[in-house]
Amino acid sequence: MKVNSVQWVHERYVLIKLTDHDPLPSMLPGQFVEVLVDGSSTTFLRRPISIHFVDRERNELWLLVAIVGDGTRQLSKLRSGDRLNCVLPLGNGFSLPQKESNVLLVGGGVGVAPLLYKGKMLKDAGIEPTFLLGARSGKDLLMLDEFQKYGRVFVTTEDGSEGEKGFVTGHSILNNESFDLIQSCGPTPMMKAVARYASDRQITCEVSLENLMACGLGACLCCVEKTTDGNVCVCKEGPVFNIKRLLWQS
């Protein structure tokens, strides 16, 4: 795919916009892309990156990339006109609820990435979602203006510099409003806390796991997760799972 632009949206995150000469294939929020990293002597396997957004008018795919190692650092050096080898779309995405549903989308860190596209698809379906986004501080909250296009946005920060102080599961909206469906992506401890909240209140909940997915095709067995159905490959069976399939509550 051709790189349209690379924008630093934070000191540790870049937004890469890609296009193709053919119309982009159908993609669902929660699915991911495996990208080949050129120019890195330590990165031999493709890197899995969540689909952040799909702009059909511009035929663009957006990838929000956290700079955590040499591979992602090389991706941040891409420039307009460069080519990026991608395999997509992979995995299974979030489900689409009924129109009357009250949906809460909970994200933390780079885990907010798939929730932007999810928010757009919900709004296009006549459902205005509620976003609950968490970060360490206000400066770590990513692209809030984009999320605000598709629903209400509430935030928490660990230092209290923006929104309510604390973690997402401590936000007052969880006590003041009721939800029919919660969909979440972010650090595993955060998602486990969200799952406990949903389970205690018998709310349907889906989470997008971030297990290491080296091949994206279920061949390498790097991403195996224990579930009620036995061991499964997250890249093939997920990365989105209903929490009832996970053993987190055991």
Side-chain angles (χ1 to χ4, degrees):
M1 299 185 71
K2 187 180 78 170
V3 177
N4 270 357
S5 64
V6 179
Q7 175 188 358
W8 285 88
V9 296
H10 183 275
E11 61 185 12
R12 297 193 306 274
Y13 297 91
V14 293
L15 176 64
I16 302 174
K17 296 183 180 182
L18 304 166
T19 191
D20 201 356
H21 61 275
D22 293 321
L24 293 173
S26 176
M27 289 179 267
L28 296 173
Q31 291 186 302
F32 64 99
V33 179
E34 286 276 1
V35 302
L36 182 65
V37 180
D38 292 321
S40 171
S41 60
T42 60
T43 309
F44 304 105
L45 300 172
R46 290 177 180 267
R47 289 293 181 262
I49 302 176
S50 294
I51 293 169
H52 182 41
F53 192 76
V54 179
D55 187 333
R56 291 291 172 187
E57 292 184 3
R58 292 183 171 86
N59 198 43
E60 278 187 343
L61 167 66
W62 297 9
L63 302 179
L64 183 62
V65 181
I67 311 305
V68 295
D70 187 54
T72 49
R73 192 172 301 110
Q74 288 299 126
L75 292 177
S76 74
K77 296 177 182 178
L78 290 168
R79 295 294 179 263
S80 177
D82 288 346
R83 305 294 299 186
L84 185 63
N85 187 307
C86 301
V87 179
L88 76 157
L90 297 171
N92 296 301
F94 291 105
S95 63
L96 186 65
Q98 299 296 319
K99 282 190 176 181
E100 63 271 14
S101 298
N102 194 6
V103 183
L104 178 67
L105 304 179
V106 185
V110 76
V112 304
L115 302 184
L116 180 63
Y117 187 34
K118 180 63 188 181
K120 181 185 186 304
M121 290 199 74
L122 286 171
K123 189 167 184 179
D124 288 347
I127 302 170
E128 183 181 14
T130 298
F131 295 98
L132 178 54
L133 310 177
R136 292 181 180 177
S137 67
K139 65 181 179 62
D140 297 316
L141 291 165
L142 302 172
M143 303 177 67
L144 292 185
D145 56 335
E146 291 290 335
F147 287 96
Q148 289 165 352
K149 295 177 181 178
Y150 305 110
R152 300 183 303 159
V153 177
F154 297 87
V155 302
T156 64
T157 50
E158 294 178 30
D159 64 2
S161 56
E162 189 164 344
E164 295 188 12
K165 184 176 182 178
F167 301 112
V168 289
T169 47
H171 197 284
S172 59
I173 194 175
L174 298 181
N175 295 319
N176 297 333
E177 297 190 23
S178 61
F179 298 95
D180 306 303
L181 172 65
I182 299 175
Q183 296 175 320
S184 180
C185 185
T188 298
M190 184 208 79
M191 289 194 293
K192 286 186 175 181
V194 171
R196 285 194 297 271
Y197 169 86
S199 181
D200 290 345
R201 290 157 181 79
Q202 297 184 324
I203 302 171
T204 301
C205 181
E206 296 176 342
V207 295
S208 180
L209 302 189
E210 295 187 324
N211 296 33
L212 178 64
M213 295 181 283
C215 74
L217 302 172
C220 69
L221 304 181
C222 286
C223 62
V224 169
E225 178 79 15
K226 294 180 179 179
T227 73
T228 56
D229 306 314
N231 292 345
V232 301
C233 289
V234 170
C235 65
K236 291 287 287 184
E237 295 284 332
V240 176
F241 290 86
N242 188 299
I243 59 170
K244 289 183 178 180
R245 289 191 64 191
L246 302 174
L247 302 181
W248 288 356
Q249 311 303 319
S250 300

